[in-house]
């Protein structure tokens, strides 16, 4: 899903930068190089792209000048950039604070249609950032909020038995 949305966003205009982050910058680069790039190369979008593999310049660059690139998960990762294509925080369970979001949001503030996607598995008790986002999402659903947020959750109830095949 993330790759499909990132490619779609990159194709919505010229020179749109799309940022992909994971639990570490190294993990983001690996995901881009080992999973996303091969998938694009095997798709109809291959003719629209150039792949850059050199360390520090890894990206999927489209003929319209847009690109998907990995960013580190540091507080300054998005500073000085404009992320018109949006930003993706993957594996948010690893975040104990808002550092990735704080790094990315200023780079999207001037872009009317830029979206921040936060994706993760459930995490642990230490996953403070994700726990806050889940609470906000669940509240939005409970209150019927349809403006500014989309929340999707696939999970079993807390009291469900993992041994129950129906769960």
């Amino acid at each position: 899903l993330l790759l499909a949305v990132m490619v779609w966003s990159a194709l919505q205009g010229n020179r749109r930068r799309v940022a992909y982050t994971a639990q570490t910058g190294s993990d983001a680069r690996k995901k881009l190089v080992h999973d996303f790039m091969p998938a694009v190369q095997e798709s109809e979008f291959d003719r629209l792209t150039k792949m850059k593999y050199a360390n520090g310049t890894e990206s999927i660059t489209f003929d319209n000048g847009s690109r998907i690139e990995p960013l580190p998960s540091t507080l300054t990762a998005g500073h000085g950039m404009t992320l018109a294509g949006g930003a993706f925080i993957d594996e948010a369970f690893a975040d104990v604070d808002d550092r990735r979001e704080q790094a990315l949001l200023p780079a999207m503030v001037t872009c009317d249609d830029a979206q921040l996607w936060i994706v993760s598995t459930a995490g642990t008790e230490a996953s403070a950032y994700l726990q806050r986002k889940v609470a906000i999402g669940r509240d939005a659903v409970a209150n019927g909020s349809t403006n500014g947020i989309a929340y999707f959750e696939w999970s079993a109830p807390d009291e469900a038995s993992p041994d129950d095949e129906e769960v």
Side-chain angles (χ1 to χ4, degrees):
L1 176 61
L2 288 182
L3 179 58
V5 174
M6 288 189 289
V7 168
W8 176 85
S9 183
L11 294 173
Q12 295 310 299
N14 294 330
R15 295 180 302 283
R16 291 171 60 95
R17 181 181 260 169
V18 179
Y20 172 76
T21 68
Q23 59 272 44
T24 68
S26 175
D27 288 319
R29 286 189 301 278
K30 288 175 187 174
K31 183 75 171 176
L32 183 81
V33 169
H34 298 296
D35 294 340
F36 295 156
M37 288 176 161
V40 171
Q41 287 174 318
E42 295 167 2
S43 76
E44 65 185 76
F45 297 106
D46 181 51
R47 62 185 168 76
L48 302 174
T49 63
K50 292 178 185 147
M51 305 294 165
K52 294 184 181 178
Y53 293 93
N55 191 23
T57 64
E58 301 91 346
S59 67
I60 302 171
T61 303
F62 295 82
D63 287 350
N64 67 1
S66 295
R67 66 185 177 275
I68 299 169
E69 59 189 359
L71 289 183
S73 56
T74 63
L75 185 58
T76 59
H79 287 257
M81 297 181 181
T82 300
L83 298 174
F88 295 79
I89 295 175
D90 197 1
E91 304 298 0
F93 77 89
D95 294 7
V96 296
D97 58 28
D98 294 9
R99 138 183 1 197
R100 278 199 276 174
E101 183 173 327
Q102 289 172 346
L104 298 168
L105 286 180
M108 298 187 299
V109 74
T110 62
C111 309
D112 292 336
D113 62 346
Q115 295 182 356
L116 175 66
W117 283 60
I118 302 164
V119 180
S120 190
T121 57
T124 68
E125 290 181 17
S127 304
Y129 173 77
L130 180 61
Q131 290 171 10
R132 282 194 306 279
K133 295 302 177 181
V134 168
I136 290 168
R138 288 176 177 173
D139 286 346
V141 170
N143 296 325
S145 294
T146 59
N147 187 23
I149 186 172
Y151 180 75
F152 303 90
E153 179 177 341
W154 290 268
S155 63
D158 290 339
E159 67 278 0
S161 169
D163 297 325
D164 183 349
E165 288 185 24
E166 289 186 29
V167 171

